Amino acid sequence: MVQPLDELFETPSQTAGPYVHIGCIPSFAGVQGIYPQDLGTSPISEGAKGTHITVTGSIYDGTGWALRDAMFESWQSDAQGRFPGQDGADPKVNGFCRFAADGDSGEFTLRTVKPGLVPARGGGMQAPHISLWIVARGINVGLQTRIYFDDEDNAADPLLARIEQRPRRDTLIAKRDGEGQYRFDIRLQGDGETVFLDL
Amino acid sequence: MDDGPLMPRRRDKHPVPYDPDYKTSVSRSPRWPLLSMESTPSEETGPRFGHSLLGPLDNNLVLNYSADGSPAIGERILMHGRVLDEMGRPVPDTLIEIWQANAGGRYRHVKDGYLAPLDPNFGGCGRTLTDAQGRYQFLTIRPGAYPWPNRANDWRPMHIHVSVFGHAFGQRLITQMYFEGDPLIDRCPIAATVKDRGQLDRLVAPLDMSHARPLDFLAYKFDIVLRGRRQTMFENKPEGM
């Protein structure tokens, strides 16, 4: 016998369910009057420095059907690669956004500034990216992924470099389709399945 | 010493992503393995929220949707507990949000068409920040069980949805709190996605009479543990690893 480790484990996740909106974005769900406004309606405020961008996309299940009930959270640095609270960070960038798939079309839209290069752990830099967390009915543990950009130099990014299969790497890279406009589709399963992260 | 990487998520302590008994998970679970890597500043930082966010009734679901001060219908309960990390340290000043069905098992959501009526005084969501010791509390009503379209006669046990931020985006967690003694827990395919029985038990809040208020409310205690961060002493890693 040995001494017990007395480990404390993380509380297990459970699905956010179909009604996550009333808890996290109640005004979006039509529940008015509890909070003055929903949390995380924008990751930036008026005057945020940098390139203003719009990322649009859909999230598809294994049959190719776009989810209508998914909720997303994004987290990112400012245009200089500084996170809120860090020295010199842009006070107009709070970095956090909550948004949902449209109940009719399934499409989502994120309006923000393009993030900067962020340090990697142990030296080096990560290419500009937005961290994304996805919850929905049928997703038992919230899914982490990242949005990179096809008009940035992603060659030295340590996370992308760990994805051996080149076609899978492309699932994390938003495609520029206009001035300040990007398309980022997410596939939960099947052909072109998005790379989901454990970090 | 809060500067180390996040401790890796123990996937065996979480639900399985794919579980045919929870039918929606079949088409919404990735087939490829997750890409594992040590956390970076993108996961080790996260949004912080202050007390200016909160209204006085935000953690009182009995009253926070009532137009005229009439309380929501149902069994009054105090839901309380602590938020800790895997190192056993309290997580102070972190935002907790909850949402739930009313006493009849009906959500105030356009997609919920269950027979049970809406309660005009119950909205069904609340939020609060933990204190310096990581403690939080909500006053609410016990949600009802309700049927849901899965297998022919599946019912959700009474539960409250819980969302916690922690201090790092990589700690983000949504879970559900169940109630001690509910016979529907062992019949629920969503609860059963947690295959480790000891872990499922941690989602079941015990009745806590020491925090109940006589002639007013019962109490249930729900402690929450978030991912911890490794300490960086003795670390000596080659660049880029």
Side-chain angles (χ1 to χ4, degrees):
Chain A
M1 292 294 282
V2 298
Q3 292 186 0
L5 277 172
D6 287 334
E7 286 177 296
L8 204 50
F9 299 119
E10 186 184 17
T11 299
S13 167
Q14 290 273 264
T15 180
Y19 307 130
V20 59
H21 314 90
I22 70 164
C24 295
I25 39 176
S27 299
F28 174 89
V31 181
Q32 308 287 348
I34 297 182
Y35 312 137
Q37 64 170 43
D38 288 343
L39 191 74
T41 49
S42 177
I44 54 172
S45 48
E46 188 76 31
K49 297 188 186 74
T51 308
H52 288 245
I53 60 168
T54 302
V55 182
T56 306
S58 291
I59 176 168
Y60 299 99
D61 70 11
T63 73
W65 176 249
L67 275 61
R68 268 65 174 173
D69 54 7
M71 191 189 80
F72 307 87
E73 290 181 358
S74 63
W75 173 244
Q76 64 170 93
S77 74
D78 66 14
Q80 300 300 313
R82 295 187 183 97
F83 289 99
Q86 293 180 343
D87 286 345
D90 184 345
K92 304 293 189 186
V93 175
N94 74 65
F96 174 71
C97 193
R98 246 180 195 170
F99 48 102
D102 183 85
D104 294 321
S105 69
E107 196 137 290
F108 65 80
T109 302
L110 169 63
R111 291 183 183 85
T112 185
V113 291
K114 197 187 258 189
L117 292 158
V118 174
R121 183 161 277 288
M125 297 300 275
Q126 307 185 76
H129 64 273
I130 297 171
S131 297
L132 201 59
W133 190 67
I134 305 162
V135 294
R137 174 173 66 100
I139 296 177
N140 292 330
V141 186
L143 293 167
Q144 291 174 273
T145 189
R146 284 182 175 187
I147 304 172
Y148 289 85
F149 301 92
D150 70 350
D151 53 359
E152 295 287 335
D153 180 3
N154 295 312
D157 183 83
L159 184 141
L160 291 175
R162 288 176 82 120
I163 306 170
E164 182 190 347
Q165 305 90 349
R166 191 55 177 255
R168 298 216 71 212
R169 203 179 299 183
D170 293 342
T171 66
L172 299 188
I173 299 174
K175 309 281 183 292
R176 189 173 185 275
D177 63 358
E179 186 65 35
Q181 303 267 351
Y182 296 87
R183 181 83 196 175
F184 187 76
D185 288 320
I186 300 157
R187 289 180 176 78
L188 291 172
Q189 194 186 94
D191 285 347
E193 181 178 309
T194 299
V195 174
F196 296 102
L197 307 175
D198 176 36
L199 43 66
Chain B
M1 296 291 287
D2 233 11
D3 53 351
L6 287 158
M7 292 164 72
R9 203 157 237 157
R10 293 277 298 259
R11 298 280 162 180
D12 58 330
K13 302 294 180 191
H14 279 283
V16 293
Y18 167 82
D19 192 333
D21 287 338
Y22 176 24
K23 296 182 182 180
T24 311
S25 76
V26 171
S27 64
R28 295 185 171 193
S29 45
R31 289 293 174 272
W32 285 78
L34 304 175
L35 177 71
S36 298
M37 200 176 95
E38 199 161 63
S39 64
T40 77
S42 307
E43 294 74 39
E44 293 156 6
T45 57
R48 300 293 292 267
F49 306 100
H51 285 272
S52 61
L53 179 73
L54 301 179
L57 290 177
D58 278 7
N59 68 340
N60 184 341
L61 285 74
V62 172
L63 293 178
N64 72 9
Y65 193 73
S66 172
D68 64 358
S70 305
I73 293 169
E75 181 184 331
R76 297 159 62 83
I77 60 167
L78 180 80
M79 168 188 176
H80 78 107
R82 291 182 78 197
V83 181
L84 306 170
D85 70 15
E86 290 170 293
M87 309 296 273
R89 293 176 297 199
V91 182
D93 303 314
T94 189
L95 186 69
I96 303 184
E97 300 159 299
I98 65 169
W99 66 99
Q100 61 170 95
N102 69 21
R106 171 87 179 264
Y107 287 89
R108 186 172 287 282
H109 191 284
V110 287
K111 293 276 174 63
D112 187 355
Y114 182 38
L115 293 170
L118 288 170
D119 175 350
N121 295 314
F122 189 70
C125 66
R127 61 187 179 185
T128 193
L129 287 165
T130 56
D131 70 11
Q133 283 77 46
R135 293 177 302 212
Y136 73 91
Q137 55 181 7
F138 291 95
L139 186 67
T140 186
I141 52 96
R142 191 207 279 259
Y146 58 86
W148 61 296
N150 189 56
R151 299 173 303 200
N153 193 19
D154 275 329
W155 290 69
R156 290 308 321 280
M158 301 173 288
H159 65 278
I160 295 176
H161 296 267
V162 184
S163 155
V164 195
F165 277 85
H167 295 165
F169 200 54
Q171 290 178 304
R172 197 74 183 82
L173 181 72
I174 284 182
T175 187
Q176 301 181 28
M177 180 191 102
Y178 302 108
F179 290 84
E180 178 182 1
D182 187 342
L184 292 172
I185 296 170
D186 282 345
R187 294 171 169 81
C188 176
I190 289 178
T193 60
V194 181
K195 301 304 176 190
D196 180 319
R197 183 70 215 196
Q199 284 290 89
L200 175 56
D201 289 346
R202 294 181 56 212
L203 298 181
V204 184
L207 178 67
D208 177 12
M209 289 307 287
S210 69
H211 284 79
R213 181 182 287 166
L215 307 179
D216 191 344
F217 53 74
L218 288 171
Y220 287 86
K221 186 166 191 286
F222 188 61
D223 290 335
I224 299 161
V225 176
L226 302 179
R227 292 173 73 187
R229 291 185 69 168
R230 211 170 63 222
Q231 299 185 352
T232 47
M233 62 177 91
F234 302 125
E235 298 229 353
N236 180 20
K237 298 199 311 175
E239 180 135 325
M241 290 294 282

